Amino acid sequence: MRRVPTAVLISGRGSNMEALIRAAADPAYPAEIVLVLANRADAAGLETAARAGIAAEAIPHQPFGKDREAHERVLDARLRRAGIELVALAGYMRVLTPYLVRAWAGRMVNIHPSLLPLHPGLHTHERAIAAGDSHGGCTVHLVTEGVDEGPILGQARVPILAGDTADTLAARVLVEEHRLYPACLADLARSLANS
């Protein structure tokens, strides 16, 4: 079985990245995590990836000022040099430009902590509770030019309990994120490997 060379983009601690690395440690997993890139030099997940034997580096966005595409061109060049075929966003806190989205169309995935199309963007748990939703959850989707609008690859639902705060709901949703993301990434990697 061919394992699809995969990169993970992070901005912080990278707990979803860790879940993907754990899953990919199995030689039967169809994606191989070979590169982790962060837009912040202080992203704690870089050290985690390096400890796992994965190439990990920062490409900070600050030197590029407001020119997001210039930063993404450097990212894209690094991904291509590494032979990457699939990109997973795991807490990558940057809105992407059409340049990078189009370059990786159908091969870039994201996990979002809500049941999309409900609550795209930030503060999802607070918004779900304030809306009186019965469930929160998470969604893995392909990345498209609209923020959190891409085709859904999988979802996990988590009941919102009486007395839940954004933090208590987030903690329960995170457990599901760590289960759902590796499963959806595996499905996409298998489809790419067979195409």
Side-chain angles (χ1 to χ4, degrees), residues 97-117:
T97 72
Y99 168 78
L100 198 65
V101 172
R102 290 173 188 162
W104 292 91
R107 298 178 298 138
M108 182 182 284
V109 292
N110 184 43
I111 187 157
H112 181 75
S114 80
L115 295 171
L116 294 173

Side-chain angles (χ1 to χ4, degrees), residues 92-148:
Y92 190 68
M93 302 305 290
R94 301 275 294 165
V95 175
L96 301 178
T97 72
Y99 168 78
L100 198 65
V101 172
R102 290 173 188 162
W104 292 91
R107 298 178 298 138
M108 182 182 284
V109 292
N110 184 43
I111 187 157
H112 181 75
S114 80
L115 295 171
L116 294 173
L118 295 175
H119 313 302
L122 301 174
H123 310 296
T124 58
H125 305 302
E126 294 94 325
R127 290 162 55 207
I129 292 167
D133 295 349
S134 63
H135 286 77
C138 53
T139 303
V140 175
H141 63 94
L142 290 174
V143 176
T144 58
E145 290 181 38
V147 174
D148 299 325

Side-chain angles (χ1 to χ4, degrees), residues 1 4 29 44 55 57 60 66 78 83 90 92-93 98 105-106 109 112 120 133 136 151 153 195:
M1 174 195 73
V4 176
Y29 190 78
E57 56 194 78
K66 296 186 185 300
R78 181 65 187 95
Y92 190 68
M93 302 305 290
V109 292
H112 181 75
D133 295 349
L153 303 179
S195 62

Side-chain angles (χ1 to χ4, degrees), residues 7-82:
V8 182
L9 303 188
I10 63 171
S11 291
R13 66 191 168 109
S15 76
N16 273 302
M17 172 207 70
E18 288 183 62
L20 296 177
I21 289 172
R22 278 194 304 274
D26 180 349
Y29 190 78
E32 181 181 8
I33 311 295
V34 297
L35 178 64
V36 171
L37 297 177
N39 66 304
R40 300 175 54 95
D42 62 352
L46 290 172
E47 191 175 308
T48 303
R51 279 198 310 269
I54 297 166
E57 56 194 78
I59 302 177
H61 63 271
Q62 293 90 342
F64 297 90
K66 296 186 185 300
D67 193 344
R68 290 176 177 268
E69 186 177 315
H71 176 247
E72 290 176 2
R73 286 183 181 278
V74 174
L75 276 178
D76 182 58
R78 181 65 187 95
L79 293 169
R80 293 181 190 283
R81 274 198 316 276

